[in-house]
Amino acid sequence: MKKNLIILLAVLFSIPALATVAEKPVWSHVSGRFEFQWDIAKDQAKTLKQPGGQTIWEGSLLPAFLLEDATGKQHYVKATAEINQLQVQDADFKFILRFDEFGTGELLVKKTEWGISFEKLSIHWTAEPPKIISMYIGTSLVPEEGQAMMPVGQHFIGNFRAAGFCVPGAKEGPAQSYFRMWDFGQSTIPLGSFGPTLGAPYGAAFPRPVLAFAMGNDQGWTAFGAGSLPDAPMVLKLQSSMGCIEFLYREDLWGAGQQERVWRKPLCITFGENAWLAFRGYFHSFPEKEPLSNVHQKAIWNTWGNWRNKEYPIRPMVDFAKQTGTEVFVVDDPWEESQGLGKPSTERFPDFQADLDYIEKSNMQRGIWETLGWIKDTAACGLTKNDLIVGKDGKPSKASWNFNPFDPGYFCIDISSAHAREFLKERTIWTMKNIQPKLIKLDFGYGMPSPDRGVPRNPELRGERYCFELMKIISKAAKSVDPDVTIMYYGISPLFLPVVDMVSLDDQGDLWYAVKEGHDQWSIWASLLSDQQVAISGSSGYDWHKDDEVVLNSFILGSPGAVLATHLDDGSPVPEKFLNRRLALNTWFRKTVQWEPVWLNSHLGGLTGPPQLKCWGRQEKIDGKDELTALVLSAGNQVDLEELKPFEWEGRWALVSQTGGGILNTSQLAVIPFDAGFISIQLTEKPKSIQKLSIDGNSPFTDWKWENGKLTIRVNEAALSKTAGYMINRLN
C-alpha cells in the first residue's frame, strides 16, 4: 500500500506546474544534499535533492499584494524583478522590484550556512498609499484556460507545490501533522497566535505559534518560516493542491500604512532529509539565547485536573500532589474573581491566602495562571473603551476559546494604550508580591480577534506581534520582582523564546482518545527546542489510564507536568501503580536544560506514516563528550542498534542518569519499570547497592541478579504496583 502511495505521489508531482527554468541567470545555493534554484526573472524556484536532481518543492517567491485603492477598487499586484546586475554566484544581492503603477521596492536576499534568508523587503508607494488587504509569498495569476475552475472574481492562486505538507499539530483530536498535497482542500491554516478566529481546525495552544511549515516528500523537505515577528497574522493558504503564505492585514478596514513600508526578515528557507531536520535548520537560523538557569526545570502539578470538573478545594489537591514529589503547585483558571482581574475569588476560595500558605508548608512552591489579554469586568479593572480592541463600528471586540457568538466572550486589552500596559504591569506586580509565585502560566494568546474583527490601534503591535508584546510586558513586570520566576507558555516558535522560560505541551485533552499517538507527535515537535535554552514540560492528559506514555516521554523532555484529577473518572482512588510512575518522574527527571534527541528506532513521520516514538533517548554534552543521559525502551522485540546493545528487556523501561555522566557510567542510575518484565544492563562493575522507591518511601532492594557482567532486575505485576523505580548505586 505504501509503495503504491509513493508511486502515485511521484506521478502526480511530476506533472509540470511551472514553466521550465530558462536561460541563466539562475541563482542557486547548495545546502547539504539540497540545491535551491531560483530563476528570478521568471520567478520560478525549486529545491532539488542531489545526486539526481529530484524536485522536492517548487513555486514562486516574489511578493504580491491584494490592494485597495482610494476608489475602493481591489487589485492583485505581483512584483517583477530587475536583475541586470545579478551574478549567479553572489552570496547575497539586492534588486529592484516593481509593483505596476503602485510603487517600487527593493528585496535583499542572502545565502547562509543554514539556507536562504529574505533579509529586507521595502516598498515606496508612488501616490497615496493603497490599503493592504493581504501580502502573499508564492502566488501567480491563473492562466485564462484555468479560470473555469476558479471562483468568480479570483484571478490568482498559490503556487507552492510538493507531494505533501507538514504543519506541526495542524489538526488535533487525533493529532495530525503530515498531509498529502490534496488533503487540505480549501483551507486556511494559521501558523501563529490566531487559531479558531481565522477558521483553523481547533487546537487550543501547543504547538502554536509555529510561524513555519514545510513541504516535500520522503526524499527531503523544504521549510519556510518567519525570520521576524510579522505585523499581521501569518497563515498557510491552501487551494486545490497548492499553497502560499499569506499575511492578513485588512487595511481596507483599518486604514493604509505609510508611504514607505519595510519588512525585515520576512522569510527564511531551510532544508532537511526529513521535515524535523528542515525545521531544525530554521530554528538554528536565530541567534543563540542566553543560557537558561536550571532553576526553571520544575516538576509541576496543576489544579485544572480537578477544577475542570468544578472541584475547587485546594488543600486536598496539595496533599495529593505532595505524595508524587511535586515541586511547584500551580493554581489555574478560574482562581480570579473575574477573568483578567488578577484578584482571587473570595466566593470560590474563601481561604485563598491560607490555601497558598498551605502549599508552602507542604514544601512546594506556588504557581499561578494568568490570562494574557482577556478582560471580563472592565470597570473593575479600571479600563475603558480606549484600552480595548474595538471593531470598525467602534464597539469593543470580544473573544473566547472557540469564538462561538452565541456564548459570552471576553473583552480584549489593547496594549496600544499606555493605561492598558500599566494595568498589565500593575496586575502582574500585585500577583508577584501577594501570591509570590515561582511560575506564571500564561494562556489564551491564541484566542484574540483577527484583523477581520479588530486590531490594536498601533499598527506596530498588530498581527503576531500582539501576543508577543502582551507576554513581554507581563514577563518583564514579573521578573522585576523575582528574576527567577518561570514564565511558562505554549508554542514552539523560536521568535517567542526571548520571553519564555518553559514551553508546555499543554494538557492532552485536545488529543482526545489518541493520547499516546498525539503525545508522541507533540514530543517530537517539542524536541526542536532541546538546544534552545528553554525548559520543556511534558504535561499530561486527563486520564490516569493513559498516563504511562506521557511519563515515558517526559523522562526525555525534561520537566514533568500534570493536570490529572485526584481520583479516577468514576470517583475511585488513583491506583498506587499510577502514583508511583509520577513519583519516579518527579524525583528522577534530568535537571539540565540543553540536550539533543536520539531517535533510535523511532519514526519522525512523513508521507508514508505518522510520527511514532519507540525507543529514544536524551543526549547531553558533558566535558566535551556526548553522553546518553536518559533512555526509554519500548515494549516489543529487541532492537539491533549499537546504542542498545548493552540492554536486554521485556516491557517498557526508562533509565535516567542522576549525575553528570551517561547512563552506563553514572554513579547513580534510576531504572523505572512500566510493565511486568525484566531488564538486563551490561555494566563494568557490580553495583554496590540498589534502593527501591515508592510512595511509601525508600527501602533496600536485594532481589536482583549479577552474572557475567550483567545486572538483571525482574518485576511482576504485584511488584510493579508497589514500585516507583530502582536507584542503582555504583559507589559506596
Side-chain angles (χ1 to χ4, degrees):
M1 182 66 184
K2 289 183 178 179
K3 182 177 179 181
N4 293 336
L5 173 62
I6 295 171
I7 294 172
L8 175 60
L9 290 172
V11 170
L12 287 168
F13 191 53
S14 67
I15 300 172
L18 302 170
T20 57
V21 175
E23 310 78 30
K24 291 194 181 254
V26 173
W27 191 68
S28 65
H29 177 46
V30 176
S31 177
R33 296 180 62 191
F34 299 93
E35 181 179 2
F36 171 81
Q37 295 182 353
W38 189 11
D39 184 335
I40 300 170
K42 295 186 175 182
D43 193 20
Q44 298 173 2
K46 60 173 62 177
T47 304
L48 306 173
K49 176 74 173 289
Q50 303 297 349
Q54 179 185 351
T55 299
I56 301 300
W57 163 87
E58 60 181 341
S60 69
L61 291 170
L62 291 180
F65 293 90
L66 184 60
L67 303 173
E68 182 178 280
D69 64 22
T71 69
K73 185 178 179 181
Q74 293 187 2
H75 305 263
Y76 169 76
V77 181
K78 173 76 179 282
T80 56
E82 293 184 1
I83 55 169
N84 295 333
Q85 305 304 314
L86 173 64
Q87 301 295 316
V88 294
Q89 70 272 18
D90 288 347
D92 55 81
F93 63 91
K94 182 189 296 183
F95 54 90
I96 301 297
L97 298 177
R98 300 203 176 275
F99 295 90
D100 296 342
E101 73 274 15
F102 289 94
T104 60
E106 288 185 344
L107 181 61
L108 174 62
V109 187
K110 108 187 258 194
K111 301 175 185 177
T112 70
E113 181 180 353
W114 43 262
I116 306 295
S117 174
F118 281 37
E119 291 285 294
K120 180 181 176 183
L121 168 65
S122 61
I123 294 179
H124 173 79
W125 301 116
T126 304
E128 179 182 346
K131 299 168 184 175
I132 301 176
I133 298 172
S134 289
M135 180 174 76
Y136 301 94
I137 297 177
T139 62
S140 57
L141 287 170
V142 176
E144 185 175 347
E145 58 272 20
Q147 283 292 338
M149 287 185 280
M150 296 292 293
V152 174
Q154 183 177 332
H155 303 290
F156 66 96
I157 194 171
N159 58 32
F160 280 12
R161 277 183 63 110
F165 296 86
C166 179
V167 184
K171 175 185 174 298
E172 306 298 355
Q176 188 174 356
S177 299
Y178 288 90
F179 306 84
R180 298 164 301 178
M181 62 179 175
W182 57 79
D183 284 341
F184 278 124
Q186 319 289 318
S187 301
T188 296
I189 308 296
L191 301 172
S193 297
F194 296 85
T197 181
L198 285 175
Y202 176 74
F206 187 89
R208 293 189 180 97
V210 178
L211 297 178
F213 66 97
M215 297 180 68
N217 56 39
D218 286 328
Q219 296 300 309
W221 291 80
T222 302
F224 304 86
S228 65
L229 284 166
D231 58 347
M234 181 181 182
V235 304
L236 173 60
K237 194 78 173 177
L238 297 135
Q239 193 168 12
S240 179
S241 56
M242 300 182 292
C244 67
I245 304 169
E246 179 183 16
F247 300 94
L248 182 64
Y249 285 92
R250 290 308 308 267
E251 289 179 354
D252 56 323
L253 293 176
W254 314 113
Q258 300 175 339
Q259 203 77 34
E260 301 280 345
R261 294 292 290 264
V262 177
W263 292 263
R264 299 191 182 278
K265 291 188 178 291
L267 184 65
C268 299
I269 306 174
T270 54
F271 317 96
E273 299 288 333
N274 54 56
W276 192 92
L277 287 171
F279 285 124
R280 185 72 155 193
Y282 166 65
F283 277 58
H284 287 172
S285 71
F286 295 90
E288 289 187 10
K289 186 181 175 183
E290 288 294 315
L292 185 76
S293 169
N294 290 344
V295 302
H296 298 293
Q297 285 279 69
K298 305 174 189 240
I300 299 165
W301 196 274
N302 187 290
T303 60
W304 183 248
N306 283 70
W307 287 9
R308 71 187 184 91
N309 295 321
K310 296 182 170 52
E311 301 168 3
Y312 292 120
I314 291 177
R315 297 187 198 190
M317 284 184 278
V318 173
D319 293 337
F320 186 90
K322 182 179 179 180
Q323 67 179 325
T324 68
T326 296
E327 295 172 301
V328 182
F329 186 88
V330 177
V331 177
D332 209 300
D333 184 30
W335 69 273
E336 299 167 298
E337 184 178 318
S338 66
Q339 183 85 195
L341 179 61
K343 299 296 192 304
S345 168
T346 55
E347 181 180 344
R348 270 191 299 272
F349 309 105
D351 301 312
F352 189 73
Q353 189 58 52
D355 290 339
L356 294 180
D357 294 340
Y358 190 74
I359 297 171
E360 293 282 338
K361 291 174 184 176
S362 300
N363 296 316
M364 286 182 278
Q365 296 175 340
R366 307 168 184 173
I368 200 74
W369 174 96
E370 187 168 345
T371 183
L372 278 170
W374 287 359
I375 302 293
K376 182 178 182 180
D377 189 342
T378 56
C381 295
L383 300 175
T384 69
K385 185 172 71 172
N386 295 331
D387 306 311
L388 305 174
I389 290 180
V390 299
K392 186 68 174 175
D393 56 6
K395 297 179 180 179
S397 300
K398 284 191 173 184
S400 70
W401 68 273
N402 64 351
F403 284 83
N404 182 348
F406 295 96
D407 291 341
Y410 301 103
F411 299 107
C412 301
I413 197 166
D414 184 353
I415 46 179
S416 307
S417 157
H419 182 238
R421 294 196 301 274
E422 189 62 24
F423 163 76
L424 283 177
K425 177 181 175 182
E426 290 178 356
R427 183 186 74 181
T428 302
I429 290 176
W430 185 94
T431 299
M432 291 298 299
K433 289 182 176 180
N434 289 275
I435 297 177
Q436 300 177 337
K438 296 302 291 185
L439 180 146
I440 294 181
K441 172 188 173 182
L442 296 177
D443 203 356
F444 292 134
Y446 61 89
M448 297 299 172
S450 80
D452 294 326
R453 169 63 215 180
V455 293
R457 292 168 177 84
N458 183 354
E460 292 297 316
L461 300 176
R462 293 176 184 172
E464 308 297 348
R465 299 177 184 178
Y466 176 45
C467 177
F468 178 85
E469 193 66 23
L470 286 165
M471 295 172 60
K472 182 179 176 182
I473 292 169
I474 294 171
S475 175
K476 184 177 180 181
K479 289 181 181 289
S480 71
V481 179
D482 180 0
D484 287 334
V485 65
T486 298
I487 304 298
M488 185 177 97
Y489 191 59
Y490 314 109
I492 61 174
S493 171
L495 288 161
F496 277 70
L497 296 185
V499 294
V500 177
D501 302 306
M502 177 184 288
V503 169
S504 172
L505 273 65
D506 197 7
D507 55 83
Q508 272 76 71
D510 284 344
L511 297 177
W512 200 6
Y513 54 80
V515 171
K516 173 189 165 26
E517 294 80 2
H519 199 269
D520 280 2
Q521 291 200 36
W522 281 13
S523 298
I524 288 170
W525 300 127
S527 297
L528 288 166
L529 300 169
S530 64
D531 65 350
Q532 296 291 306
Q533 297 290 351
V534 65
I536 303 172
S537 173
S539 193
S540 80
Y542 302 144
D543 187 347
W544 277 101
H545 293 92
K546 297 180 180 179
D547 196 42
D548 275 3
E549 295 294 337
V550 174
V551 172
L552 276 164
N553 291 339
S554 296
F555 271 116
I556 306 299
L557 294 174
S559 295
V563 288
L564 291 155
T566 56
H567 52 75
L568 299 183
D569 288 345
D570 61 4
S572 60
V574 177
E576 283 185 273
K577 174 182 175 181
F578 298 152
L579 294 176
N580 275 316
R581 299 293 84 73
R582 279 283 161 183
L583 175 62
L585 175 61
N586 291 345
T587 304
W588 289 327
F589 73 96
R590 293 288 297 174
K591 305 303 189 290
T592 50
V593 173
Q594 292 290 91
W595 56 284
E596 291 282 344
V598 180
W599 301 117
L600 301 175
N601 66 332
S602 297
H603 180 45
L604 295 182
L607 298 181
T608 56
Q612 184 181 17
L613 290 176
K614 296 181 180 178
C615 299
W616 70 304
R618 176 186 179 103
Q619 181 176 281
E620 300 176 39
K621 187 77 71 175
I622 300 173
D623 296 328
K625 183 180 178 182
D626 291 332
E627 296 278 6
L628 189 65
T629 57
L631 174 66
V632 164
L633 299 172
S634 66
N637 297 326
Q638 289 297 120
V639 181
D640 187 18
L641 290 170
E642 188 66 30
E643 296 92 336
L644 300 181
K645 286 184 177 178
F647 308 98
E648 295 178 27
W649 71 94
E650 180 183 277
R652 297 168 298 165
W653 296 80
L655 298 89
V656 189
S657 168
Q658 298 300 295
T659 68
I663 56 177
L664 292 177
N665 55 37
T666 179
S667 60
Q668 291 190 307
L669 176 64
V671 177
I672 303 96
F674 285 77
D675 302 297
F678 77 91
I679 186 167
S680 293
I681 310 171
Q682 288 182 350
L683 297 174
T684 56
E685 58 187 11
K686 182 180 179 180
K688 303 300 182 183
S689 66
I690 298 180
Q691 294 287 117
K692 186 184 84 167
L693 174 68
S694 76
I695 58 173
D696 296 322
N698 274 304
S699 60
F701 177 71
T702 58
D703 190 17
W704 52 279
K705 182 179 179 181
W706 175 259
E707 187 175 43
N708 299 324
K710 283 187 177 182
L711 165 69
T712 300
I713 297 174
R714 293 187 178 273
V715 182
N716 58 30
E717 285 292 346
L720 184 66
S721 295
K722 297 289 185 180
T723 304
Y726 307 95
M727 177 63 74
I728 300 171
N729 300 299
R730 303 178 68 189
L731 297 175
N732 289 325

